[in-house]
């Protein structure tokens, strides 16, 4: 952690309802108008760096995320591992005050990589596959099927 920071226990909060109304449904509705929103940028600006950040800062000095990004003088910069750069997905976030990206100078794999370090301390996530899709699409499903299912179901899943 950055200097002079207190580590706090992790607390879990659900933002599923907010995600559904603020990210998921607007994304589907935008497709009906032939507009392509990026739900990942919406999620970061409306959920992670707004609602979740506000909740976290009630009991913590700062928030940390697993994004591969770098902050310099409060501005978003490309991290050391350019292949894992996630700055594009945070381009609509208004402020990074009190945000810390601990992975900014780490590589995902290989020497001194995140996965190697997780393995060394016995955390089971080290061998998890990279996520390469939108978080709104359940594993094993396609985005097209999800949109079709909601369209046919009148805004709800069948």
């Amino acid at each position: 952690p950055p200097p002079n920071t207190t580590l706090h226990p992790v607390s879990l909060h659900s933002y599923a309802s907010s995600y559904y109304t603020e990210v998921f449904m607007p994304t589907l509705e935008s497709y009906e108008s032939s507009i392509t929103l990026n739900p990942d940028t919406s999620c970061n600006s409306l959920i992670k760096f707004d609602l979740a950040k506000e909740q976290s800062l009630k009991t913590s000095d700062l928030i940390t995320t697993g994004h591969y990004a770098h902050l310099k003088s409060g501005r978003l910069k490309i991290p050391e591992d350019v292949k894992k750069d996630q700055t594009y997905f945070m381009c609509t976030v208004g402020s990074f005050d009190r945000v810390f990206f601990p992975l900014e100078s780490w590589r995902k794999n290989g020497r001194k990589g995140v996965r190697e370090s997780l393995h060394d301390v016995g955390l089971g996530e080290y061998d998890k596959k990279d996520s390469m899709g939108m978080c709104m699409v359940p594993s094993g499903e396609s985005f097209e099927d999800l949109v079709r299912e909601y369209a046919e179901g009148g805004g709800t899943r069948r």
Side-chain angles (χ1 to χ4, degrees):
N4 304 317
T5 321
T6 304
L7 297 178
H8 296 276
V10 172
S11 59
L12 301 177
H13 302 276
S14 174
Y15 299 98
S17 176
S18 297
Y19 183 88
Y20 181 82
T21 58
E22 301 294 323
V23 178
F24 185 73
M25 289 310 296
T27 299
L28 294 184
E29 290 164 4
S30 75
Y31 280 11
E32 291 176 352
S33 303
S34 299
I35 298 170
T36 306
L37 293 180
N38 183 325
D40 295 329
T41 59
S42 299
C43 181
N44 281 323
S45 63
L46 300 171
I47 307 298
K48 293 178 186 172
F49 291 95
D50 186 16
L51 297 176
K53 178 181 175 183
E54 182 181 326
Q55 179 67 39
S56 296
L57 292 178
K58 289 178 181 177
T59 58
S60 300
D61 302 329
L62 55 86
I63 67 163
T64 61
T65 77
H67 290 94
Y68 284 85
H70 177 69
L71 287 176
K72 185 173 183 177
S73 302
R75 298 192 52 118
L76 200 56
K77 302 289 182 183
I78 294 173
E80 186 171 314
D81 191 343
V82 296
K83 290 181 181 177
K84 295 296 179 184
D85 175 23
Q86 294 175 311
T87 56
Y88 171 80
F89 300 105
M90 293 180 281
C91 66
T92 59
V93 173
S95 168
F96 293 100
D97 279 355
R98 299 171 66 187
V99 173
F100 173 55
F101 297 119
L103 303 180
E104 67 185 4
S105 61
W106 285 60
R107 298 210 168 266
K108 190 143 195 172
N109 298 303
R111 189 168 185 262
K112 290 191 174 182
V114 173
R115 292 182 188 273
E116 183 180 271
S117 296
L118 289 173
H119 181 265
D120 290 349
V121 296
L123 293 175
E125 295 294 307
Y126 72 91
D127 60 354
K128 185 178 177 183
K129 281 181 70 174
D130 287 353
S131 62
M132 299 301 283
M134 291 182 272
C135 58
M136 66 170 39
V137 180
S139 181
E141 292 188 29
S142 73
F143 183 68
E144 293 80 13
D145 291 341
L146 185 66
V147 170
R148 186 177 307 107
E149 203 173 313
Y150 269 86
E152 292 170 358
T156 59
R157 289 194 87 173
R158 293 181 269 141

